[in-house]
Amino acid sequence: MLRRRNLLTTLLIALPWALLLTLWHQYPTTRYLSLLRKTDENVTSKVLLNGTSALREEGLPSCIRQQQSIGATPKVIQNYVYSRPPPWSDTLPTIFVITPTYTRPVQKAELTRLANTFLHVQNLHWVVVEDSPRRTNLVSNLLEKAGLNFTHLNVETPKSLKLGLSWIPSHTPRGTLQRNLGLHWLRDSFSNTAPPEGVVYFADDDNTYSLELFEEMRYTRRVSVWPVAFVGGLRYESPKVSPAGKVVGWKTVFDPNRPFAIDMAGFAISIKLILEKPQASFKLEGVKGGYQETSLLKDLVTMDGLEPKAANCTKVLVWHTRTERPTLVNEGKRGFTDPRVEV
């Protein structure tokens, strides 16, 4: 009886300690202490569930990499990837981006997304042209706060020329006058000074652009071209490129016999070529739908002079996405939203 009681006592004492030791090895104290670990007075690292860390430092953008082994103290490495915007370079060609825009519910959202893309592109000058009788406060304030080099212009398209309102068959597509005003500003700005090295690109505010696209176009000699996604009822349209690297036609369904069957987002033009050809512009009259690009390019270049980019036009770097029109059927009912709030 005594031996049985001693054995029971031993088990009751040893069993709790065995359980504690098991839990200790499975959940080390350092795992819990690391959650509260501070790297310094101003920077705090928070360990997330997926083993990464989120780090913020006042006023400085950063990219964080964390290498962590199970049970070890987290190691946080800070790499400052870019300043906002990137510093201007005197040796890098400039990209002049002309963007026509007009008032609508999603205008600010579209321009904000575009500005956030441009902030990552070095030596970029944004020419924003409003289809409006005056420059609006919404666009002015957005540009002032964006931190970009910009020029803000405006010209209103007459109602008789707007798409769907013209009485003539060859009505003017939206943005024609605005793009022409942007070209006029460029020519006027460099009429008495030597032009910089660089290109002109027409970037609508409802598209999505890869940063790689801007580096592809930056060293354009005359006119460079590439594919554009989600246009013409296709996944993408593209120039046809021969094995010799020359553009020989167009991969499109809609009127493939157009001299330049290309989307507005699918080409860039050397700034020097724009200045050498002052008569080149988007035509207002006698131009069928889908021929706006041709009306400009035919005065600048022949197909033989086109420069295929994006790996000989095999990569898609721009998408004609278009933001979905918001449903505002309840707007204004019962005074639910304040019309003075800028959206």
Side-chain angles (χ1 to χ4, degrees):
M1 180 67 69
L2 184 61
R3 291 181 61 185
R4 187 179 302 173
R5 185 166 24 188
N6 290 340
L7 180 60
L8 182 61
T9 302
T10 303
L11 286 174
L12 290 174
I13 294 174
L15 185 60
W17 283 106
L19 290 172
L20 284 173
L21 288 172
T22 301
L23 291 172
W24 180 272
H25 284 289
Q26 288 182 352
Y27 302 100
T29 307
T30 53
R31 288 281 296 277
Y32 296 95
L33 293 178
S34 65
L35 292 171
L36 304 176
R37 180 177 179 271
K38 290 189 175 182
T39 55
D40 56 42
E41 293 181 357
N42 297 322
V43 184
T44 301
S45 174
K46 180 179 179 182
V47 179
L48 304 180
L49 295 177
N50 60 2
T52 61
S53 70
L55 180 68
R56 288 188 179 182
E57 186 165 7
E58 189 66 29
L60 291 173
S62 61
C63 176
I64 310 305
R65 294 196 308 268
Q66 182 186 30
Q67 297 175 347
Q68 179 181 2
S69 59
I70 296 177
T73 301
K75 183 179 181 181
V76 178
I77 302 173
Q78 295 180 158
N79 287 328
Y80 299 106
V81 178
Y82 68 93
S83 59
R84 190 175 73 91
W88 196 272
S89 170
D90 292 332
T91 59
L92 202 64
T94 302
I95 300 174
F96 292 94
V97 176
I98 298 176
T99 299
T101 186
Y102 63 100
T103 300
R104 61 200 191 278
V106 298
Q107 182 185 29
K108 186 176 181 181
E110 301 277 34
L111 292 173
T112 297
R113 180 177 62 174
L114 198 52
N116 290 341
T117 297
F118 292 162
L119 281 169
H120 297 272
V121 183
Q122 196 170 10
N123 283 33
L124 184 143
H125 188 103
W126 195 13
V127 183
V128 179
V129 191
E130 290 194 70
D131 188 345
S132 171
R134 63 189 63 84
R135 287 174 288 179
T136 63
N137 289 333
L138 184 150
V139 177
S140 295
N141 293 336
L142 186 147
L143 292 173
E144 288 290 346
K145 295 176 182 178
L148 290 162
N149 300 288
F150 72 89
T151 296
H152 187 190
L153 307 171
N154 70 284
V155 59
E156 186 178 27
T157 302
K159 289 184 178 180
S160 61
L161 292 177
K162 287 187 177 179
L163 190 64
L165 296 177
S166 176
W167 292 101
I168 56 177
S170 55
H171 48 250
T172 306
R174 188 186 296 276
T176 301
L177 287 174
Q178 290 69 40
R179 295 185 186 98
N180 280 343
L181 182 59
L183 291 174
H184 175 78
W185 176 84
L186 282 171
R187 289 168 174 141
D188 189 59
S189 298
F190 299 109
S191 59
N192 297 318
T193 59
E197 294 290 332
V199 298
V200 180
Y201 182 53
F202 301 99
D204 289 351
D205 60 7
D206 58 355
N207 291 347
T208 303
Y209 304 90
S210 166
L211 296 180
E212 186 180 350
L213 175 67
F214 299 97
E215 301 313 313
E216 288 279 334
M217 72 174 70
R218 191 182 294 277
Y219 293 94
T220 298
R221 296 186 299 274
R222 294 182 67 80
V223 177
S224 55
V225 295
W226 48 80
V228 179
F230 311 142
V231 291
L234 299 170
R235 290 176 60 242
Y236 69 94
E237 290 182 341
S238 174
K240 288 182 181 179
V241 181
S242 71
K246 291 289 186 179
V247 176
V248 294
W250 311 98
K251 296 178 181 178
T252 180
V253 174
F254 171 70
D255 201 352
N257 294 320
R258 286 174 287 165
F260 296 94
I262 192 170
D263 186 80
M264 195 70 68
F267 63 92
I269 307 167
S270 162
I271 181 65
K272 290 185 177 180
L273 183 59
I274 289 290
L275 300 178
E276 290 171 3
K277 306 281 188 177
Q279 80 286 357
S281 64
F282 295 100
K283 304 303 183 287
L284 295 175
E285 297 180 0
V287 179
K288 295 190 298 183
Y291 279 74
Q292 274 293 308
E293 296 82 358
T294 293
S295 73
L296 172 71
L297 293 174
K298 67 181 179 60
D299 291 332
L300 295 171
V301 70
T302 62
M303 188 179 293
D304 189 58
L306 297 176
E307 306 159 39
K309 300 290 186 179
N312 269 346
C313 295
T314 60
K315 294 171 64 176
V316 173
L317 301 175
V318 55
W319 299 261
H320 210 291
T321 42
R322 297 184 181 179
T323 298
E324 181 180 2
R325 180 178 296 180
T327 301
L328 304 174
V329 294
N330 292 321
E331 186 63 34
K333 293 182 179 179
R334 303 177 184 176
F336 188 78
T337 59
D338 188 344
R340 295 170 297 179
V341 174
E342 185 178 280
V343 177

